[in-house]
Amino acid sequence: MGQQEKVSTSLAGAVSEGISASLAAVDAELDRRYPGDPGTRQPVHTVYVPGNVFDAGTIRSWGDQALAALDEHAPDAASFAAVLGLSDDLAEDVYGRVRAKLEREPVEDLRVDFEDGYAGQDEDQDAARAARLISEAYANGTAGPYMGIRMKCMESAVRDRGIRTTDVFLTGLLENGGLPDGLVLTLPKVTYPEQVSAFVRLLEAFEKAHGLDAGRLGFEIQIETSQSILATDGTAAVARMIGAAEGRATGLHYGTFDYSACLGVSAAYQASDHPAADHAKAIMQVAAAGTGVRVSDGSTNVLPVGSTEHVHEAWRLHYGLTRRALARAYYQGWDMHPGHIPTRYAAVFAFYREGFEAAAKRLSAYANHAGGDVMDEPATAKALSSYLLRGIDCGALDTAEVDALTGMTRAALDRFAAPRRGDLTASAE
């Protein structure tokens, strides 16, 4: 070991202490507003089913319809790959994983809809029935990982109905076994942060009425109006909405068609890749970054039904939009029809399978200080581990193969993906 250098300083310790004291409020604000990703599984999609249509067999029915669509329009890996442009080395793997997923877990997130898609005659009865069926599904193991409702919004014309449906549904869950861990509520058509605050008051009142832990009930905010992106005072209202949720917001969901219509985009051009959609989602993404609130893309209304030619065209469109969203870090989207979920999973699985080996090797090299042809930083290691974890969670990757290439346990991957603030270093186990 070489000669030790003389280390000298010029400032008294009080200087550092004073600076830290002056930033104490900022430190607390950073921890409060930017806690980081929760580290829980994010579903790759949300399916919504009208409250008057939802029944005990809905999830299995969606899976069966999706499998039937494959049987009719792409009965083998080669034909499916030809439609979507999958490479030969991915075709069999992706097709097999898609079919297995549709058998095992066809829907990752389901929202029973009491808003735009609802056409029932007795909303009280339908909300109570949804609560009972969802409770039974979680009890008997047929539920999706996440399930809940989309109620009506906080605008004056439908506010009372939205509040009542929320109350009926949540009360029904408690009466049928309790609130499931996968419960999700979606508040649509939010225009002002005050509407978010009002929904928080509603959930607080419900928690107090039933002796629930404060903050037990979270919710997603659906971004469907121009005012939610740019407020009248020129601020990004969506950022203020996250604050107004007081830690209860779990997601921001882009509403493709309501938002496009709000801007005057004609029906033929209302799509998730329209420049107006890209602008809105970019604002949402920046507002949510670091807050623990996740961003979801919208949907396509081009349904894969009818002739094989039309189904293939719709599949190519949906696959392309999903891959485009994934590249932009929108890891979740909305699916409107059972025919959409084969291409949802195909796009997701191909996205993770294509980049798996490179990501695993880069993360392993970083964790083991082995170098390589890319100089990665701690933040990139976080992104690499998050990528691998998302792939495992949805079924695109197997835990064993990730372990084999990275030499890391799930716990080690979790530490890289969700480090403490100011500590973006982790080590493999």
Side-chain angles (χ1 to χ4, degrees), residues 25-38:
V26 172
D27 293 340
E29 183 78 347
L30 279 170
D31 288 338
R32 183 178 72 85
R33 289 190 178 272
Y34 300 101
D37 189 88

Side-chain angles (χ1 to χ4, degrees), residues 101-289:
K101 180 77 168 180
L102 296 177
E103 293 280 4
R104 182 185 74 253
E105 189 182 73
V107 173
E108 291 196 354
D109 184 29
L110 184 143
R111 211 68 71 248
V112 183
D113 190 24
F114 291 96
E115 203 232 354
D116 284 348
Y118 181 68
Q121 300 302 311
D122 192 332
E123 191 162 334
D124 279 355
Q125 284 295 304
D126 288 336
R129 182 169 59 90
R132 176 178 58 81
L133 292 175
I134 287 175
S135 295
E136 291 174 355
Y138 276 106
N140 64 30
T142 62
Y146 299 94
M147 299 183 75
I149 65 168
R150 177 171 71 169
M151 67 291 294
K152 290 178 173 62
C153 69
M154 288 288 106
E155 293 180 354
S156 59
V158 295
R159 183 184 303 137
D160 289 346
R161 180 66 263 180
I163 291 172
R164 182 174 175 85
T165 294
T166 304
D167 187 7
V168 169
F169 176 71
L170 293 176
T171 301
L173 289 177
L174 290 178
E175 292 176 346
N176 285 279
L179 304 178
D181 290 339
L183 173 64
V184 188
L185 305 174
T186 303
L187 180 65
K189 292 183 175 62
V190 180
T191 304
Y192 282 81
E194 288 81 1
Q195 293 168 329
V196 174
S197 297
F199 198 66
V200 169
R201 301 289 86 77
L202 169 63
L203 299 183
E204 285 178 338
F206 188 89
E207 289 166 349
K208 290 177 182 177
H210 292 278
L212 301 173
D213 291 339
R216 168 64 180 85
L217 295 166
F219 60 98
E220 302 163 337
I221 302 169
Q222 202 158 11
I223 304 302
E224 303 177 89
T225 67
S226 60
Q227 296 92 338
S228 62
I229 296 298
L230 186 67
T232 54
D233 62 359
T235 60
V238 65
R240 293 166 53 205
M241 289 174 185
I242 293 173
E246 299 178 22
R248 295 177 184 264
T250 58
L252 300 175
H253 285 235
Y254 177 67
T256 305
F257 306 105
D258 282 284
Y259 187 86
S260 298
C262 185
L263 268 62
V265 178
S266 62
Y269 298 97
Q270 293 178 358
S272 61
D273 59 352
H274 189 281
D278 285 341
H279 172 262
K281 286 179 286 189
I283 299 297
M284 293 163 59
Q285 190 173 50
V286 173

Side-chain angles (χ1 to χ4, degrees), residues 16 56 72 96 98-99 109 145 157 271 317 382 421-422:
S16 178
E72 181 177 357
V98 168
R99 293 196 70 97
D109 184 29
L317 173 65
K382 175 180 178 179
R421 177 175 301 284

